[in-house]
Amino acid sequence: MPTKEKIGIVISNRMLKTATVAVKTKIPHKKYQKILSRTKKYKVHDEHNLCQIGDIVKIQETRPLSKTKCWTLLEKIGQLYNL
């Protein structure tokens, strides 16, 4: 089974070795077929604290590392904006 990978934006990096990544998906409404935007937040393991707020990153599913953290940082793709 292939591992799941997602692309999202870092919205928080205040924790040690952990970042929060928001992943946006677009789905159609079941009845009316209007496109809806859904956002899901994931806790991601960032071993070397590379992530900054606003970075676009690729994450990969892994074994549970803590109660809420079961994703790891694969690569930093780019930056959405500068603070």
Side-chain angles (χ1 to χ4, degrees):
M1 185 171 94
T3 56
K4 295 179 186 175
E5 293 183 357
K6 297 185 183 285
I7 294 176
I9 300 169
V10 177
I11 57 174
S12 173
N13 63 348
R14 293 184 179 207
M15 300 165 276
L16 290 175
K17 296 188 178 183
T18 304
T20 305
V21 175
V23 176
K24 291 186 178 181
T25 57
K26 295 189 179 216
I27 60 164
H29 188 276
K30 289 182 181 176
K31 183 175 180 182
Y32 300 113
Q33 300 303 312
K34 179 181 178 178
I35 302 298
L36 302 172
S37 180
R38 297 285 182 228
T39 304
K40 178 100 171 110
K41 294 194 290 187
Y42 296 100
K43 298 273 178 39
V44 178
H45 183 66
D46 181 12
E47 181 67 34
H48 304 293
N49 292 319
L50 298 174
C51 293
Q52 299 297 319
I53 295 176
D55 288 346
I56 300 171
V57 294
K58 183 184 275 191
I59 59 175
Q60 180 181 36
E61 191 174 38
T62 183
R63 64 181 178 83
L65 300 169
S66 69
K67 181 179 175 181
T68 58
K69 188 165 59 168
C70 55
W71 292 82
T72 57
L73 179 71
L74 269 186
E75 64 177 317
K76 188 172 159 182
I77 296 173
Q79 193 161 16
L80 186 64
Y81 55 86
N82 294 327
L83 292 177

